[in-house]
Amino acid sequence: MTTQRLIHDADLVLADGGIETTLLFDEGIDLVDFAAFPLLDTVEGRAALVRYFERYAALAVAEGVGLVLETPTWRASSDWAARQGMSTDDLIRLNRDAVALVRDVAERYATSATPIVVSGCIGPRGDGYVAGAAMTVEEARSYHGLQARALAEAGADLISAITMTNVAEAIGIVEAAREAGRPVVIAFTVETDGVLPSGVPLGEAVEAVDAATGGEVAYFMVNCAHPDHFGPVLDPGAEWVQRIGGIRANASRQSHAELDEAEVLDRGDPVELGALYRGLREDHPQIRVLGGCCGTDHHHLAAISTACRRVAV
């Protein structure tokens, strides 16, 4: 399934959930800096990653829908790798290994009814919950270019920038993906009021990226926020809202600040989350790619699929 078919032709495509919270709370694996990619270097870590991806692949096959799997590389960029004591060569190798691991799962599970897309995941240079020091577009393109090239050269079908907090970094990643020869998806995160951590309203951020890149983004998503946080700003009559093609919501209604301090995982209510996704789909039928973020697992995605497959679009 091509990226364009994901947004235009498929009725419903699932994505995976909150990989880091699943590994941390369900698998009991300590993730330094919330980074999953170092697990690729151990037998036990790779086994945990395979278990994670296989659950979603099996679910998509059972549901008879397509699937987008994000590589476990949200933290696999230069600054974060340096904090792990890794070299640039290590970083490139692990990004490539991540694509190979997810590709293996995809090839073993994909069917004609369940095409599986391997998405090369790029995270923010900074925290993800806090905008932090702003980069220029050129700085962002240069910084993220190494990871985008590694993911593309390893065979990722597309590049997804997840938990973007500001416009300039998102534009830089679009340019890096273009240079790497891959389509790109941009997922912004928002605070409880539907505004990016940088203070820019979601709609303005989408419009700014589209204006700067000529509408090159395949589709936009919202991630790492509860539907109650961003649903109210999705005005069905606003042109920019038609560019939102996917959501990867949190199960928890907690703010980013509260989640940062939480010692117990708030899993929310999977059935309620599915109903909220259904409501979003009813109001915004162009939203076809449905995944999860912090606190969600394959049980949440099963509830989301059950609720949303009934929506006539």
Side-chain angles (χ1 to χ4, degrees):
M1 177 183 287
T2 66
T3 301
Q4 293 305 314
R5 281 191 60 203
L6 279 176
I7 193 64
H8 294 300
D9 295 346
D11 173 51
L12 173 65
V13 178
L14 295 180
D16 58 294
I19 184 170
E20 290 86 6
T21 50
T22 296
L23 293 169
L24 183 62
F25 289 96
D26 293 346
E27 296 279 355
I29 299 171
D30 184 26
L31 299 179
V32 177
D33 285 334
F34 221 45
F37 75 96
L39 298 181
L40 291 156
D41 257 350
T42 69
V43 173
E44 297 82 2
R46 291 179 69 86
L49 292 172
V50 169
R51 285 195 297 274
Y52 170 83
F53 289 114
E54 285 183 338
R55 293 183 190 113
Y56 293 96
L59 171 64
V61 170
E63 296 287 292
V65 297
L67 177 67
V68 178
L69 292 178
E70 297 287 348
T71 56
T73 52
W74 183 68
R75 282 290 197 229
S77 64
S78 300
D79 288 359
W80 296 101
R83 290 169 60 97
Q84 303 272 350
M86 294 181 180
S87 68
T88 299
D89 287 344
D90 290 331
L91 182 60
I92 293 171
R93 173 179 56 81
L94 288 170
N95 273 281
R96 290 175 173 171
D97 285 354
V99 174
L101 182 143
V102 179
R103 177 68 66 193
D104 177 70
V105 174
E107 290 179 349
R108 287 189 286 110
Y109 279 85
T111 70
S112 59
T114 302
I116 301 178
V117 172
V118 177
S119 174
C121 181
I122 291 180
R125 185 174 189 175
D127 177 80
Y129 284 173
V130 180
M135 290 186 287
T136 66
V137 170
E138 175 56 29
E139 287 170 338
R141 182 201 63 77
S142 177
Y143 177 79
H144 291 292
L146 181 144
Q147 187 180 11
R149 287 190 299 273
L151 293 167
E153 289 169 1
D157 297 310
L158 60 92
I159 300 294
S160 292
I162 304 293
T163 326
M164 291 293 104
T165 63
N166 64 88
V167 169
E169 187 168 17
I171 295 171
I173 293 175
V174 174
E175 295 186 354
R178 179 196 305 138
E179 292 178 358
R182 288 294 182 274
V184 63
V185 171
I186 297 292
F188 285 114
T189 189
V190 296
E191 301 294 349
T192 57
D193 58 358
V195 174
L196 273 63
S198 58
V200 177
L202 177 61
E204 289 184 18
V206 170
E207 290 173 338
V209 174
D210 264 350
T213 63
E216 189 166 346
V217 175
Y219 57 91
F220 290 85
M221 296 197 297
V222 184
N223 85 292
C224 209
H226 191 272
D228 286 357
H229 301 164
F230 60 84
V233 305
L234 298 180
D235 176 3
E239 186 175 347
W240 68 267
V241 173
Q242 298 307 308
R243 296 286 283 132
I244 305 296
I247 50 178
R248 295 181 62 115
N250 288 347
S252 172
R253 286 183 169 84
Q254 291 182 319
S255 68
H256 289 154
E258 291 169 327
L259 289 172
D260 252 348
E261 298 297 322
E263 296 183 1
V264 177
L265 183 63
D266 181 358
R267 299 180 186 273
D269 181 342
V271 174
E272 180 195 41
L273 189 64
L276 291 170
Y277 271 58
R278 178 188 172 101
L280 287 169
R281 285 259 291 169
E282 289 173 339
D283 292 338
H284 310 284
Q286 83 283 357
I287 297 178
R288 292 180 168 90
V289 181
L290 308 179
C293 206
C294 295
T296 63
D297 58 25
H298 58 293
H299 299 295
H300 294 81
L301 265 296
I304 289 167
S305 182
T306 296
C308 291
R309 280 190 294 107
R310 304 195 192 108
V311 179
V313 295

